[in-house]
């Protein structure tokens, strides 16, 4: 029995300082205050331990992998805790922590506000799954891996997670850029670490080049601001941005947008993504697709609504419209190219392009509608809520799908779905979880993809009815394209799931596949539960969006608009009053679906215990073989012909005949489609650069005096330019 | 939370649609037969077929996975749930929100997705072909359907079907805006595609050259096939109900009481019969289109819907 006075004394072995602080805090418990301040250090410590654990590979690679992933799991759990405390801590809750002074010219700091905390949550949710899934995957997929490779993978994974986490929590430009670069480098190591073949190396090189092109743009945007503000922290940047004229502001925004869009894989800057993402180990693919792209979305939001936003009045119209149009194009082209991919992980990577497009549609719409005259501010909140909700939704289902693809890959070592088949009988858990992810990503009720797309539709519709003229038509047309995207995604996943998991196994590897180990399934189950929870009870998740939406838009918070009628009902304030807005209840619909499924089950099985027997599939009298299964190429052929203008499909059929054309011995079919961005933009640029380098080669004589002359000339020109500018 | 339709009424309406679904198919078949100078089977034939199927045994492909047995159940549940979103005897928003037109289209898409998965499971070429074709047509139909919904929703300010129908009220063609005519035209173009009828699909045949939806059902048998057939009937009446809610006049919501409900039910039956007659007429007077002509046919609907949207906004 304690009495009141005993509180705060504490056990005798506790240090005095700690007991004193406890007694001080105890009377007025501020939720998580003590824990959160040290939370960021805890996250850093966990990932740091994870990076150091790569040293253990000197003795045992297996030990290094185990300890490294355990540390990553702890870091992710700490990240979850910190982000939840900030998000649920009420409006305006921020956490600032100075970092050790590493550079004489800049003070580094971390600052976690609502937006940072939300992205920290997204990162940590997927990181938990990846850390659970990783060790078994690495063991099963590459048992012959050397210790150096294992050490590199453990080191890079923890560095990758740490950099993403602290990038979202960065309080100044230098921390942001350092983490950005660390994220790129560590993910590059992971991309090239998996298999040592030329294709991976080329994918890694392309990734490296494009990522650094993007970083260069970001660097210009940041340095232009820090130079004006005289300091690196975000508050100084904000103050510097207040005095910008509109042209400079817009130029800086587009520079930043270019940098982030390269990382996010927005069409036409996406070409690295479908090569690099599949090359990494599958749990890293899940992180890259599910989380790393979102970090770029974080950057766009931070720049548009926070750093560069004018003090009052709407954002320049060109910003929002560019993002909306680019998002729509990415969504449609991403899914169209995904449809024609037969490499399971590559297909998923193209779907990331699509989903980033869907998120950008919401972001762009929020940018257009924000602080507009005659538009209720609630609508911008709906659009931003849709975008942020899709961010976490996409992280959940894309993570799940990549992990599912990884399970298939580590059991069969095949990525081409034409060579799989029949895996549902051999890997029932993986198949079921992959199907769940497929339903979610196709935006079908009652799972989470539908919820965020529904919100996007409502925001687009509301925007279309308020923005008049051709602009309104663009918004509604973008809604129609979003509908097309959803339909095509369903077609694509009917193909991907059907050809991979159903029918007959088409190769020996597929025939002898076994179920993935339990820890891998546990990682997938975690994300599957997220998909279900976010789909069936989204109202509770929307409470977490209050802090970022209120902070960015300075308007009504998400739950005040979207779940104004209670957490079980989603509504979007299409009318200014918000009372007769369209409302749906995912919870009720899920309950109805379950009840109806039970009734249909009774109808199917309960009426009469009818005999069931198995028989071979009817194949017109021939004995059924795997050749009768519909292939992925055949499945996608009608859509390939319908959208031929975008694919430029090529096919080559050669027949080997036995002397007479009527006896065909063998038919060889090869078909491919082209990526329009690649042929129309990149190949041209490549040709131009090659031509340019050939001209330069003519001038490069090999004499050192000539080169010194060039350097001297360049220096003089640069000095003259500076003299002219700063006259 | 005010609403004109209590949850019990919504569920009763859903049950009514399940019961009447096969009757609409029977009526269309009968009208088609008479238009083609045949006697035809009775309008109750679909019910007899269903009862027969539900009492039969099952033969399942030996390559099919565990998913195959649950596909018909899930498809039926998703389609019937879509039925809860269509206003039948009374218009107006439901007392407890359940779903809107987008949810309805989503549930129908879910049913179609699961059907396609089931078709690929047996490992025969027919199922795969049906699934491939269905999943080619569906992404082209869905955006146009949504655009038609948007074109009416833009004036009403909601996508909830009961509220949309209430907003339409008793106004009929004379009070229509040009966008309504174009939206209705787009809907008439889409209706055969969404209900799986000529000129897009042929529900009467299993011939591999013509089939879409039937191809996906070919490996199902017994009670499973019965569930799939019931889902097909349900899908048809739900689609017709969607058109009726979007474009046809409705009695005012305040005409309560038993007479109001009966009148509403009668009016709904008339609307469905008119649309059924339209489907029978189209089926009797056109040939099925080649698969690769279907996108052009749907393009007409797309053009109409886009113009309707443009007229609403500009």
């Amino acid at each position: 029995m304690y009495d009141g006075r005993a509180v705060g004394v504490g056990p005798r072995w506790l240090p005095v300082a700690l007991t004193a602080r406890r007694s001080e805090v105890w009377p007025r418990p501020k939720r998580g205050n003590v824990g959160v301040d040290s939370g960021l250090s805890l996250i850093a410590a966990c990932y740091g331990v994870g990076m150091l654990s790569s040293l253990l590979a000197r003795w045992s690679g297996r030990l290094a992998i185990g300890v490294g992933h355990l540390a990553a799991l702890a870091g992710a759990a700490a990240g979850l805790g910190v982000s939840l405390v900030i998000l649920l801590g009420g409006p305006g809750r921020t956490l600032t922590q100075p970092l050790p002074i590493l550079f004489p010219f800049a003070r580094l700091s971390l600052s976690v506000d609502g937006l940072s905390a939300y992205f920290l949550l997204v990162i940590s949710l997927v990181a938990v799954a990846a850390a659970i899934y990783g060790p078994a995957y690495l063991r099963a997929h590459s048992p012959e891996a050397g210790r150096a490779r294992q050490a590199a993978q453990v080191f890079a994974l923890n560095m990758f997670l740490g950099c993403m986490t602290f990038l979202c929590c960065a309080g100044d430009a230098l921390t942001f850029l350092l983490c950005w670069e660390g994220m790129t480098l560590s993910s590059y190591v992971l991309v090239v670490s998996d298999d040592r073949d030329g294709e991976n190396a080329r994918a890694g090189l392309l990734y490296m080049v494009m990522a650094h092109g993007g970083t260069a743009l970001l660097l210009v945007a940041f340095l232009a601001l820090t130079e004006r503000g005289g300091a690196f922290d975000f508050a100084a940047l904000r103050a510097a941005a207040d005095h910008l004229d509109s042209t400079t502001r817009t130029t800086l925004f587009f520079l930043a947008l270019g940098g982030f869009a390269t990382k996010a894989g927005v069409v036409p800057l996406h070409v690295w993504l479908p090569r690099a993402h599949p090359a990494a180990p599958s749990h890293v693919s899940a992180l890259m697709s599910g989380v790393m792209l979102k970090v770029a979305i974080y950057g766009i939001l931070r720049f548009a609504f926070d750093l560069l936003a004018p003090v009052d009045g709407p954002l320049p119209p060109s910003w929002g419209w560019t993002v909306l149009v680019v998002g729509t194009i990415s969504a449609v082209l991403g899914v169209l190219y995904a449809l024609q991919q037969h490499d399971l992980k590559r297909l998923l990577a193209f779907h990331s392009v699509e989903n980033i497009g869907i998120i950008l549609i919401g972001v762009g719409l929020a940018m257009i509608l924000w602080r507009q005259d005659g538009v209720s501010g609630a609508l911008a909140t709906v659009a931003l809520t849709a975008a942020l909700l899709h961010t976490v939704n996409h992280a959940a289902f894309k993570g799940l799908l990549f992990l599912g693809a990884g399970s298939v890959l580590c059991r069969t070592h095949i990525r081409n779905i034409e060579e799989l088949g029949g895996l549902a009988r051999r890997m029932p858990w993986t198949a079921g979880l992959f199907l769940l992810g497929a339903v979610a990503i196709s935006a079908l009720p009652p799972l989470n993809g539908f919820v965020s797309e529904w919100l996007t539709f409502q925001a687009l519709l509301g925007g279309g009815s308020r923005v008049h003229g051709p602009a309104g038509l663009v918004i509604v047309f973008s809604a129609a394209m979003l509908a097309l995207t959803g339909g095509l995604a369903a077609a694509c996943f009917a193909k991907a799931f059907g050809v991979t998991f159903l029918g007959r196994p088409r190769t020996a590897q597929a025939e002898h596949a076994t179920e993935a180990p339990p820890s891998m399934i546990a990682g997938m189950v975690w994300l599957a539960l997220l998909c279900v929870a976010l789909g069936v009870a989204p109202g509770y998740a929307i409470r977490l969006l209050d802090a970022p939406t209120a902070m960015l838009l300075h308007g009504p918070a998400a739950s005040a608009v979207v779940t104004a009628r209670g957490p079980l009902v989603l509504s979007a304030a299409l009318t200014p009053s918000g009372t007769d807005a369209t409302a749906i209840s995912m919870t009720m619909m899920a309950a109805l679906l379950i009840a109806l499924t039970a009734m249909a089950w009774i109808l199917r099985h309960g009426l009469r215990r009818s005999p069931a027997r198995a028989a071979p599939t009817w194949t017109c009298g021939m004995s059924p073989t795997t050749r009768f299964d519909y292939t992925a190429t055949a499945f996608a052929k009608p859509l390939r012909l319908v959208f031929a203008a975008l694919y430029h499909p090529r096919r080559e059929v050669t027949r080997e005949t036995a002397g007479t054309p009527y006896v065909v011995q063998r038919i060889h079919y090869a078909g491919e489609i082209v990526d329009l961005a690649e042929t129309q933009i990149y190949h041209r640029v490549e040709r131009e650069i090659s031509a340019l380098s050939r001209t330069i080669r003519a001038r490069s004589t090999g004499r050192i005096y000539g080169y010194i002359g060039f350097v001297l000339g360049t220096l003089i020109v640069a000095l003259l330019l500076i003299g002219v500018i700063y006259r | 939370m005010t609403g004109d339709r209590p949850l019990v009424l919504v569920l009763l309406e859903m049950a009514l649609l399940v019961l009447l679904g096969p009757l609409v198919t029977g009526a269309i078949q009968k009208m088609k037969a008479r238009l083609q100078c045949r006697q035809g089977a009775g309008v109750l034939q679909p019910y007899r077929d269903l009862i027969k199927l539900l009492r039969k045994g099952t033969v399942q492909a030996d390559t099919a996975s565990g998913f195959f047995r649950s596909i018909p159940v899930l498809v039926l549940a998703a389609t019937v749930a879509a039925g809860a979103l269509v206003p039948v005897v009374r218009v107006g928003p439901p007392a407890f929100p359940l779903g809107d037109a987008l949810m309805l289209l989503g549930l129908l898409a879910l049913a179609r997705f699961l059907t396609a998965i089931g078709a690929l499971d047996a490992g025969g070429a027919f199922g795969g072909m049906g699934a491939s074709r269905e999943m080619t047509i569906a992404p082209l139909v869905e955006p146009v359907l949504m655009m038609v919904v948007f074109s009416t929703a833009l004036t009403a300010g909601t996508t909830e079907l009961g509220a949309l129908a209430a907003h339409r009220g008793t106004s009929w063609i004379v009070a229509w805006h040009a966008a309504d005519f174009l939206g209705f035209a787009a809907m008439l173009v889409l209706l055969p595609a969404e209900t799986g009828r000529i000129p897009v699909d042929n529900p009467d045949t299993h011939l591999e050259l013509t089939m879409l939806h039937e191809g996906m059902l070919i490996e199902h048998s017994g009670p499973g096939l019965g569930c799939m057939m019931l889902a097909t009937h349900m899908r048809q009446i739900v689609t017709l109900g969607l058109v009726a809610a979007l474009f046809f006049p409705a009695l005012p919501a305040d005409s309560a009481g038993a007479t109001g409900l009966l009148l509403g039910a009668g009016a709904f039956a008339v609307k469905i019969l008119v649309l059924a007659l339209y489907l029978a007429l189209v089926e009797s007077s056109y040939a099925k289109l080649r698969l690769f002509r279907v996108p052009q046919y749907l393009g007409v609907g797309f053009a109409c819907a886009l113009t309707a949207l443009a007229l609403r906004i500009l």
Side-chain angles (χ1 to χ4, degrees):
Chain A
M1 272 296 216
Y2 272 102
D3 69 5
R5 282 165 300 170
V7 173
V9 175
R12 207 164 271 183
W13 48 268
L14 273 180
V16 181
L18 188 52
T19 48
R21 196 158 64 166
R22 269 190 63 179
S23 66
E24 196 182 294
V25 169
W26 193 257
R28 280 185 299 117
K30 288 187 208 157
R31 195 159 31 152
N33 215 9
V34 179
V36 173
D37 282 341
S38 47
L40 289 175
S41 321
L42 183 63
I43 300 173
C46 289
Y47 290 132
V49 167
M51 283 159 76
L52 286 180
S53 71
S54 60
L55 295 176
L56 294 175
R58 195 184 157 87
W59 296 281
S60 157
R62 210 172 145 165
L63 183 68
I65 286 179
V67 174
H69 283 81
L70 207 60
L73 183 62
L80 272 184
V82 172
S83 59
L84 284 177
V85 167
I86 302 272
L87 287 174
L88 297 175
R93 178 82 195 262
T94 51
L95 170 71
T96 322
Q97 185 162 11
L99 290 178
I101 299 173
L102 294 177
F103 304 97
F105 53 89
R107 271 176 205 288
L108 305 185
S109 67
L110 295 177
S111 158
V112 190
D113 56 8
L115 186 66
S116 306
Y118 183 70
F119 280 86
L120 179 59
L121 178 77
V122 175
I123 293 169
S124 306
L125 284 175
V126 184
V128 166
I132 298 173
Y133 182 94
Y137 175 79
L138 289 178
R139 255 205 312 281
H141 180 56
S142 39
E144 76 291 347
R147 283 175 187 173
R149 184 161 127 194
Q150 287 169 329
Q153 280 177 336
V154 167
F155 184 86
L157 178 74
N158 278 285
M159 180 172 160
F160 183 48
L161 287 172
C163 283
M164 286 196 295
T165 302
F166 289 111
L167 188 139
C168 291
C169 302
D172 63 299
L174 203 57
T175 314
F176 189 98
L177 286 171
L178 285 175
C179 289
W180 182 266
E181 191 56 30
M183 180 175 88
T184 306
L185 290 178
S186 52
S187 52
Y188 167 77
V189 170
L190 289 166
V191 166
V192 296
S193 73
D194 201 20
D195 286 311
R196 291 180 180 279
D197 62 358
E199 203 181 333
N200 273 12
R202 271 196 300 280
L205 185 67
L206 181 66
Y207 171 47
M208 201 67 166
V209 169
M210 296 224 28
H212 280 105
T215 310
L217 296 180
L218 278 187
L219 208 58
V220 175
F222 267 119
L223 289 183
L225 282 177
T226 51
E227 194 248 331
R228 282 178 171 76
F232 280 91
D233 57 313
F234 282 165
L237 300 192
R238 254 173 238 132
D242 284 348
H243 306 296
L244 290 177
D245 61 300
S246 65
T247 323
T248 321
R249 193 187 293 278
T250 300
T251 314
L252 288 183
F253 173 74
F254 279 106
L255 281 173
L257 183 65
F260 291 125
T262 314
K263 200 61 160 183
V266 171
V267 173
L269 300 168
H270 68 284
V271 286
W272 63 272
L273 195 152
R275 290 191 173 81
H277 283 200
S282 293
H283 61 301
V284 178
S285 309
L287 283 172
M288 288 177 77
S289 258
V291 181
M292 188 178 77
L293 307 183
K294 309 301 158 45
V295 172
I297 298 288
Y298 165 79
I300 293 176
L301 289 173
R302 179 65 75 192
F303 258 83
F305 289 104
D306 187 15
L307 294 181
L308 283 177
V311 183
D312 50 3
L315 299 175
S318 58
W319 300 14
W321 288 108
T322 309
V323 173
L324 179 74
V325 170
V326 160
T328 311
I329 293 173
S330 292
V332 174
L333 287 185
V335 72
L336 276 175
Y337 288 128
L339 255 172
Q340 304 299 341
Q341 300 302 322
H342 304 141
D343 174 333
L344 190 54
K345 287 179 77 177
R346 210 167 160 181
L347 177 149
L348 293 175
F350 266 112
H351 272 286
S352 298
V353 176
E354 173 217 336
N355 280 285
I356 286 292
I358 296 174
I359 295 172
L360 284 184
I361 289 177
V363 171
L365 193 66
M367 287 162 77
I368 292 168
L369 296 175
W370 191 40
R371 290 175 176 167
Q372 278 299 345
D373 294 336
V375 174
S376 59
L379 213 50
T381 309
V382 176
L384 189 64
T385 308
L388 289 176
L389 197 60
H390 201 71
T391 303
V392 70
N393 285 344
H394 176 237
F397 54 65
K398 185 53 67 66
L400 173 59
L401 289 168
F402 260 119
L403 296 188
S407 298
V408 172
L409 184 60
C410 84
R411 285 302 190 222
T412 60
H413 298 278
I414 293 174
R415 276 179 14 194
N416 184 355
I417 56 176
E418 306 281 31
E419 295 170 17
L420 295 167
L423 291 177
R425 289 167 83 103
R426 290 157 186 88
M427 308 174 75
W429 279 89
T430 308
L433 292 167
F434 193 92
L435 180 60
L436 191 101
V439 171
I441 199 176
S442 309
L444 297 174
L447 295 181
N448 58 351
F450 177 78
V451 179
S452 42
E453 287 206 15
W454 184 84
L455 277 175
T456 314
F457 274 124
Q458 295 295 332
L460 285 167
L461 209 50
S465 64
R466 278 174 184 71
V467 179
H468 294 285
L473 194 58
V474 171
I475 292 182
V476 180
F477 187 71
S478 150
M481 289 299 105
L482 186 58
L484 176 68
T485 306
L488 289 173
C492 186
F493 276 95
K495 177 193 91 169
F497 179 78
V499 176
T500 310
F501 289 98
L502 304 178
R504 298 183 190 82
R506 285 181 285 276
T507 46
Q509 288 102 311
E511 197 169 353
H512 300 303
T514 50
E515 185 55 276
S519 71
M520 287 168 69
I521 290 174
M524 289 192 270
V525 166
W526 163 251
L527 290 176
L529 287 177
L530 269 182
C531 286
V532 173
L534 286 168
V536 173
Y540 295 100
I542 281 169
R543 279 187 58 201
L544 299 175
L545 288 169
D546 280 351
T549 47
M551 190 214 96
L552 281 185
L553 301 179
H554 311 294
S559 62
V561 181
V562 180
T563 53
R565 295 168 67 179
L568 297 185
V569 180
L570 287 182
S571 63
L574 275 183
T575 47
S577 60
T579 48
D580 54 348
T582 315
I584 61 170
S585 175
M586 295 301 290
T587 321
M588 278 296 281
M589 189 41 87
L592 182 65
L593 270 176
I594 291 172
L596 286 172
T597 308
M599 283 158 77
W601 189 261
I602 291 170
L603 184 70
R604 165 97 159 72
H605 294 276
L607 284 188
R608 190 185 138 138
R609 186 89 8 228
S610 48
R613 62 192 179 85
T617 308
W618 168 245
T619 46
C620 300
M622 289 184 270
S623 60
T625 65
T626 55
R627 308 274 312 258
F628 283 95
D629 280 34
Y630 228 56
T631 61
T633 315
F635 189 92
K637 177 164 182 177
L639 280 166
R640 189 157 66 239
L641 294 183
V642 171
F643 292 100
L646 290 170
Y647 288 136
H648 296 299
R650 272 201 297 255
R651 61 180 214 152
E652 202 176 315
V653 180
T654 45
R655 290 160 191 271
E656 280 177 31
T657 53
T660 156
Y662 304 107
V663 183
V664 179
Q665 284 186 325
R666 182 175 292 182
I667 297 183
H668 213 79
Y669 172 92
E672 63 164 1
I673 57 151
V674 297
D675 188 333
L676 273 189
E678 228 171 292
T679 51
Q680 297 296 318
I681 302 174
Y682 289 88
H683 288 182
R684 278 188 195 182
V685 171
E686 197 185 337
R687 277 199 298 277
E688 293 296 321
I689 291 179
S690 307
L692 193 66
S693 63
R694 272 196 296 278
T695 11
I696 292 175
R697 198 161 59 197
R699 304 275 173 284
S700 85
T701 52
R703 278 192 302 250
I704 196 92
Y705 309 114
Y707 294 140
I708 291 175
F710 282 135
V711 170
L712 195 66
T714 315
L715 188 65
I716 290 171
V717 169
L719 285 175
L720 280 177
L721 272 177
I722 288 172
V724 168
I725 291 170
Y726 292 98
R727 189 163 24 133
Chain B
M1 288 189 197
T2 55
D4 300 318
R5 297 190 296 148
L7 194 58
V8 179
L9 182 67
V10 169
L11 294 179
L12 282 179
E13 285 180 341
M14 183 184 80
L16 190 66
L17 286 184
V18 179
L19 291 178
L20 291 183
L23 187 64
V24 175
T25 309
I28 293 177
Q29 296 294 61
K30 186 75 181 173
M31 283 190 265
K32 253 173 74 179
R34 298 317 298 258
L35 284 166
Q36 294 162 356
C37 303
R38 287 188 286 119
Q39 188 62 41
V43 287
L44 297 180
Q45 187 57 37
Y47 292 102
R48 295 189 199 109
D49 288 344
L50 278 179
I51 291 169
K52 179 188 74 183
L53 284 173
L54 288 176
R55 291 166 64 189
K56 280 198 160 214
T58 1
V59 185
Q60 188 177 319
D62 51 7
T63 48
S65 69
F67 292 111
F68 190 77
R69 289 161 59 83
S70 46
I71 291 281
V73 173
L74 293 173
V75 168
L76 183 59
T79 322
V80 172
L85 308 177
V86 180
V88 180
V89 297
R90 193 194 277 180
V91 297
F96 191 86
L98 200 57
D100 63 344
L102 301 181
M103 176 82 95
L104 187 148
L105 294 178
L107 285 169
L108 293 184
L110 174 69
R112 189 188 284 123
F113 176 80
L114 291 171
T115 312
I117 295 282
L120 286 167
D121 204 359
F126 291 111
M129 189 182 290
S132 164
R133 290 174 175 181
E134 179 89 352
M135 295 315 272
T136 302
I137 302 298
L140 305 177
V141 174
E142 265 169 37
V144 188
L145 268 179
M146 286 215 185
M147 284 163 81
V148 175
V149 171
F150 292 162
S151 77
T152 49
L154 276 176
T155 48
T158 174
T159 50
E160 211 286 314
L161 277 172
L164 272 178
H167 184 264
R168 170 77 62 195
T170 48
S171 70
W172 182 229
I173 290 185
V174 280
W176 272 14
H177 188 268
D180 289 322
F181 286 104
L182 282 165
F184 191 54
M187 209 53 164
L188 290 184
V189 170
L190 291 178
L191 209 47
E194 189 61 17
T195 50
R197 293 190 169 273
I198 288 177
V200 176
D201 191 1
N202 189 349
D204 296 334
T205 155
H206 288 289
L207 189 66
E208 67 267 29
L209 290 176
T210 53
M211 64 192 180
L212 276 77
H213 187 71
E214 289 295 312
M216 298 200 289
L217 304 190
I218 208 162
E219 297 299 337
H220 291 278
S221 57
L225 183 60
C227 287
M228 295 301 265
M229 298 293 281
L230 185 57
T232 311
H233 300 317
M234 186 69 189
R235 173 187 204 92
Q236 177 170 269
I237 195 170
V238 165
T239 314
L240 297 183
L242 173 74
V243 181
L246 286 179
F247 290 103
F248 285 176
L251 294 173
D254 49 6
S255 58
T259 45
L261 289 184
L262 277 179
L263 268 177
F268 184 75
V270 171
K271 293 177 218 171
I272 297 294
L273 270 182
V274 168
L275 289 171
L277 180 64
Y278 163 75
L279 282 179
L281 278 173
V282 170
E283 281 224 293
S284 304
S285 35
Y286 287 93
K288 190 189 166 300
L289 285 171
R290 221 152 48 81
L291 182 68
F292 290 105
R293 297 295 294 274
V294 172
Q296 296 168 18
Y297 167 81
L298 295 175
V300 176
F302 178 77
C304 288
L306 189 65
T307 322
L309 268 179
L311 284 174
R312 281 272 189 246
I313 287 175
L314 293 179

